[in-house]
Amino acid sequence: MANGDVNGITHDLQALLSSEDRDFLVSNSGDQAKISSLIGKTVGLYFSGSWCGPCRRFTPSLVEAYEELSSKDDFEVVYISSDRNDESFNGYFSKMPWLAIPFSDSETRKRVKDLFKVRGIPYLVILDANGNVSSQQGVRIIKDYGAAGYPFTQEKLNFLKEEEEAAKKNQSLSSLLVSRTRDYLLSNDGNKIPVSELEGKMVGLYFSMYTHGGCLKFTPKLLEVYKTLKEKGENFEIVLVSLDYEEDQYKQGLESTPWLSLPFNDKICEKLTRYFQLETLPTLVIIGPDGHTLNSNVAELIDDFGIQAYPFSPEKLVELAELEREKQEAQTLESVLVSGERDFVIEKSGSKVPVSELVGKNILLYFSAHWCPPCRAFLPKLIQAYHETKAKDNAFEVIFISSDRDQPSFDEFFSGMPWLALPFGDERKTLLQRKFKIQSIPAAIAIGPNGRTITKEARQLITAHGADAYPFTEEHLKHLEEKLEEIAKGWPEKLKHELHVEHELLRTRRNGYVCNGCRGMGHGWAFHCKQCDFDLHPNCASKNVEETKNDSKAKEGWICDGDVCSKA
């Protein structure tokens, strides 16, 4: 049989899927099918498991595509299970209309997984009729195109992408929202509203998940804008594009809002996420009365300006940018830190320090929490930078803004810090997080003596340069980079290191990385292996470093990855 190619390894299906005493695959009814029956077919190797949530959500899409293609009789799927026991395998496989490597043959299942370097599931490898690997991105292809992606070759995918580009030029509300089987949207009381009734209106496509933290905060603001526009008689409508996994969550989200929605789990929801290259939630795409995209995401504009952001036109964006510039120019330390009678920060003793006493200083707003492993890892470096900076310039201060869940945790963490803080539970914390758009911790915002924001990247700068990053100004950082360039010239261009004996490490500029030696974050220069994605700090590359392990446990609602904890 013809061979496929995986990282230079050649194989045929018979050798790939059989074992010494088995030359067949099984169906969910227990029937056997000879592996030789796959010869000449396009075959999908489906790595999945019943315990895997994303797998359970993807499998119905694959079943739908498979059944659409069944009449061709030249496409087959083979399930390679990651289940832990027979019962789980049988229950999950019973919902699949294709073949599988028997669960009892764990050796072959493992061998195939290792061959294709399966690191996560669901995972779908496509082999063409000659046994060549067409794609190892089958999950993405099925999600994006379903059966229309068949035979899943690069040529077919290029054709589909060209079709999409052509469709964008002739975009209309109907081309976006109408499918072959549906020409309506749903109201929150379950009525079907023809898409044609929205023609000529400005429409916001609201990509959201009911339980997503950012969406939970944004939806009430969007609702306020929506109601105000309706009261003014504006021709504006919102269509929910739900990305919820559970139908109950979808229904809760729809019932609590007055706008329209695509049906739950509608194919077009997935199509639209790709079409608009969705990167974040919440996202509100604005479609103009002519059916063309007016703005790819106005969620941040509504968050910042509310009803003022309407009608989201280029002219309005220029106006809002000018308002933002004026606001930044007028920013003072008091406007940042004072709210009503809350015009102070505290020392560890609990004593109040008036914000007025900090005016004229360089201030670092430090967003952090005791439960956050990256925060605890960054703290010693910040303390060192703080003492070194204070020794050079006493007009420098740090203010801790806590995301801790209780007073004892706040007290314990703050007790190890040599600077000031907002009191635990202070209402200004939420205002500051919103103002500076803090989505992950640790974060550090540098405020200059005039009260204006110097940089929102002070944490990264301190990680890279320590106290040398101060005073964080563009001019100073440019000088610092020039100095580091000179220092780097004294380092070897490449070296061998006992922590990575496979390949030489090359001196490389890196925007951000985790050192495989000390596990700390690095910025700027590294000794890097592109093949293995391996990095060492320059100072770690010059010595033997024992790898340290950090506690990776995060609080509910947050995900810790690398050197930050982000809101889930």
Side-chain angles (χ1 to χ4, degrees), residues 266-300:
D266 193 279
K267 282 183 180 180
I268 283 183
C269 294
E270 189 70 38
K271 172 188 169 185
L272 291 174
T273 62
R274 182 184 74 257
Y275 185 86
F276 290 108
Q277 299 179 335
L278 190 73
E279 294 182 351
T280 186
L281 290 178
T283 285
L284 184 66
V285 177
I286 300 298
I287 307 300
D290 60 358
H292 293 165
T293 303
L294 186 62
N295 195 300
S296 60
N297 189 8
V298 299
E300 191 171 306

Side-chain angles (χ1 to χ4, degrees), residues 261-477:
S261 172
L262 287 167
F264 174 70
N265 217 19
D266 193 279
K267 282 183 180 180
I268 283 183
C269 294
E270 189 70 38
K271 172 188 169 185
L272 291 174
T273 62
R274 182 184 74 257
Y275 185 86
F276 290 108
Q277 299 179 335
L278 190 73
E279 294 182 351
T280 186
L281 290 178
T283 285
L284 184 66
V285 177
I286 300 298
I287 307 300
D290 60 358
H292 293 165
T293 303
L294 186 62
N295 195 300
S296 60
N297 189 8
V298 299
E300 191 171 306
L301 292 176
I302 289 176
D303 202 25
D304 290 343
F305 298 100
I307 192 68
Q308 275 187 290
Y310 187 80
F312 318 113
S313 62
E315 295 77 15
K316 175 58 74 170
L317 298 189
V318 171
E319 180 186 326
L320 296 177
E322 180 61 22
L323 285 174
E324 183 63 26
R325 187 191 66 79
E326 291 175 358
K327 188 164 64 173
Q328 292 295 331
E329 290 290 324
Q331 179 178 296
T332 63
L333 192 64
E334 290 98 328
S335 71
V336 171
L337 288 177
V338 174
S339 177
E341 296 182 357
R342 297 252 170 194
D343 61 353
F344 61 89
V345 293
I346 60 172
E347 298 176 319
K348 281 186 288 189
S349 64
S351 300
K352 296 180 179 179
V353 176
V355 171
S356 58
E357 291 187 9
L358 302 175
V359 173
K361 292 187 175 184
N362 280 290
I363 302 296
L364 205 66
L365 303 179
Y366 174 46
F367 297 82
S368 186
H370 181 267
W371 56 261
C372 164
C375 296
R376 297 198 302 273
F378 174 66
L379 181 58
K381 186 148 196 167
L382 180 57
I383 290 175
Q384 181 181 351
Y386 175 80
H387 287 308
E388 291 179 14
T389 302
K390 289 284 279 187
K392 296 184 292 185
D393 183 1
N394 195 47
F396 171 68
E397 196 51 75
V398 175
I399 300 173
F400 169 43
I401 301 164
S402 171
S403 290
D404 283 304
R405 304 295 203 271
D406 53 66
Q407 186 76 49
S409 297
F410 169 84
D411 292 340
E412 181 182 351
F413 205 33
F414 186 36
S415 68
M417 300 177 185
W419 43 68
L420 306 172
L422 287 186
F424 174 73
D426 195 293
E427 63 188 21
R428 289 172 289 175
K429 175 237 180 185
T430 301
L431 298 175
L432 289 169
Q433 281 187 318
R434 180 182 172 190
K435 176 180 178 60
F436 294 110
K437 297 179 173 58
I438 303 299
Q439 295 297 321
S440 61
I441 55 175
I445 310 296
I447 307 293
N450 58 8
R452 297 175 192 164
T453 303
I454 298 175
T455 179
K456 298 178 183 180
E457 308 294 330
R459 190 269 302 169
Q460 292 89 331
L461 294 172
I462 290 171
T463 297
H465 307 295
D468 289 338
Y470 182 81
F472 312 110
T473 61
E474 187 175 335
E475 182 182 359
H476 172 71
L477 294 172

Side-chain angles (χ1 to χ4, degrees), residues 152-258:
F152 314 113
T153 60
Q154 191 58 51
E155 291 75 16
K156 182 58 180 285
L157 298 182
N158 290 340
F159 172 76
L160 292 171
K161 288 175 183 177
E162 288 171 6
E163 273 195 333
E164 286 184 344
E165 289 304 314
K168 285 183 180 181
K169 295 178 182 179
N170 301 302
Q171 177 183 299
S172 67
L173 209 54
S174 292
S175 71
L176 292 174
L177 300 179
V178 173
S179 69
R180 287 179 295 175
T181 59
R182 178 190 48 74
D183 61 357
Y184 60 85
L185 301 167
L186 297 176
S187 63
N188 60 3
D189 56 5
N191 289 326
K192 296 179 180 180
I193 310 298
V195 172
S196 58
E197 291 192 9
L198 275 63
E199 297 287 354
K201 293 184 177 183
M202 181 177 291
V203 176
L205 302 180
Y206 182 33
F207 294 83
S208 177
M209 293 179 71
Y210 180 67
T211 58
H212 183 277
C215 297
L216 287 171
K217 291 180 180 178
F218 177 71
T219 297
K221 296 174 186 176
L222 180 58
L223 182 59
E224 183 179 343
V225 169
Y226 177 82
K227 288 181 176 178
T228 302
L229 291 175
K230 285 294 186 181
E231 289 168 1
K232 290 183 174 183
E234 296 287 349
N235 273 335
F236 179 68
E237 192 53 74
I238 290 176
V239 176
L240 173 66
V241 184
S242 171
L243 303 181
D244 288 301
Y245 295 134
E246 305 295 336
E247 190 167 9
D248 286 346
Q249 294 174 352
Y250 161 79
K251 288 180 178 178
Q252 284 181 280
L254 184 58
E255 290 169 358
S256 62
T257 52

